[in-house]
Amino acid sequence: MPAISPDKPYRVGRSRTGLGLFATKPIKKGAKIVRYFGPLLDCRKKKHDAIENKYLFELNNRWTIDGSVRKNIARYINHACKPNAESDVSARKRKVVIRAIKNIEPGEEINYDYGTDYFKAYLKPIGCKCAACEKKRKKKRAEARAEKLRLKAKAEKKALKKAEKLAAKAREELAQKQKQKLKQAAKQRLNGARSNGKLLNGHGGTTAAGQLTAAKSGIFAESASTQGGEASASA
């Protein structure tokens, strides 16, 4: 890691993406922080155009700065979708300076937007880890958890409702069975009472038709007996 003068308002430190550049002193909005420098590459030269690394800073269609050299402290500045600094590019002077676009407090990580091409080539495939993107992912995870809990509660409510419906149906079927049993028992008692010649109120006896038949039978029997007696007397 390159040595940094204590007079500089930054230091290299551990970041969520590896190493990063952090403010050690207050940096005012618009202030120059550090220069991004390195060998100039001419894309018209095949050997230059063949060089590839993630520290290449394109100035224009021809010139590119190879910032992979260790003395280039600016190479430690990480990308951010909502940065506190920006790259001030002077293609004519072939120079890039990182400037603050916000007031930066000591301890804050310095960052700037690397641009669409770099983002698509290097960051999008692995997922951007800047604070703004982490916040978005955290929000999405929270929303996903909330949706999962909502669906779970909905399913549990539906299952409970179904169980209550099944229980009500079972109670109704049980009541119907008990009612049928009571009817069958009452019918059996009624048939038994009739077969024993007893009334349902518990008193013994016969029906009115039976009493009338019995009375008539008694009269006929008495008449026959009387006639028999008279015949015996005359003889």
Side-chain angles (χ1 to χ4, degrees):
M1 187 181 298
I4 299 174
S5 170
D7 296 331
K8 300 295 183 181
Y10 50 75
R11 66 174 178 83
V12 177
R14 183 63 57 182
S15 174
R16 65 166 57 92
T17 57
L19 294 177
L21 200 65
F22 294 82
T24 56
K25 299 177 182 179
I27 302 174
K28 292 184 178 181
K29 179 180 178 180
K32 172 186 172 182
I33 301 174
V34 66
R35 180 184 172 189
Y36 196 101
F37 71 93
L40 283 173
L41 304 179
D42 187 349
C43 68
R44 295 178 181 179
K45 297 180 180 180
K46 289 184 179 181
K47 64 176 182 179
H48 286 179
D49 193 43
I51 296 175
E52 289 187 11
N53 63 65
K54 62 180 181 179
Y55 299 110
L56 298 179
F57 198 113
E58 186 177 314
L59 297 173
N60 52 34
N61 293 333
R62 180 178 178 182
W63 298 104
T64 298
I65 296 174
D66 182 1
S68 61
V69 294
R70 285 178 57 82
K71 290 184 179 180
N72 178 32
I73 304 300
R75 73 176 185 158
Y76 292 104
I77 302 177
N78 289 311
H79 163 86
C81 294
K82 292 184 178 180
N84 53 20
E86 67 179 358
S87 56
D88 185 0
V89 181
S90 176
R92 185 175 61 84
K93 295 181 179 180
R94 301 172 190 172
K95 183 179 179 182
V96 176
V97 174
I98 309 301
R99 296 184 184 277
I101 57 174
K102 297 178 181 178
N103 290 331
I104 304 174
E105 299 299 324
E108 281 189 64
E109 184 175 1
I110 301 167
N111 43 55
Y112 68 94
D113 190 342
Y114 284 6
T116 304
D117 293 340
Y118 187 97
F119 185 90
K120 288 181 178 179
Y122 295 100
L123 300 178
K124 190 175 181 180
I126 61 173
C128 180
K129 296 181 181 180
C130 74
C133 290
E134 284 290 344
K135 187 176 180 180
K136 287 181 181 178
R137 280 191 289 270
K138 186 177 180 180
K139 183 180 179 181
K140 286 183 178 180
R141 287 194 296 267
E143 289 175 349
R145 286 194 297 269
E147 179 64 11
K148 187 176 180 180
L149 291 174
R150 187 188 71 81
L151 292 175
K152 183 180 178 181
K154 185 178 179 181
E156 288 176 349
K157 185 178 179 180
K158 186 177 180 180
L160 179 61
K161 188 175 180 180
K162 184 178 180 180
E164 289 175 348
K165 187 176 180 181
L166 291 173
K169 186 178 180 181
R171 288 194 297 269
E172 184 179 353
E173 290 177 351
L174 181 61
Q176 289 292 337
K177 288 181 180 180
Q178 290 177 343
K179 189 175 180 181
Q180 286 294 113
K181 285 182 180 180
L182 290 173
K183 283 184 178 180
Q184 290 176 359
K187 187 176 181 181
Q188 288 175 357
R189 286 196 300 271
L190 180 60
N191 292 336
R194 285 178 176 176
S195 65
N196 292 329
K198 295 182 180 180
L199 297 176
L200 292 176
N201 58 10
H203 296 288
T206 59
T207 62
Q211 291 176 358
L212 180 58
T213 302
K216 288 181 178 181
S217 298
I219 292 172
F220 292 149
E222 184 179 356
S223 176
S225 176
T226 305
Q227 291 179 0
E230 290 178 355
S232 176
S234 62

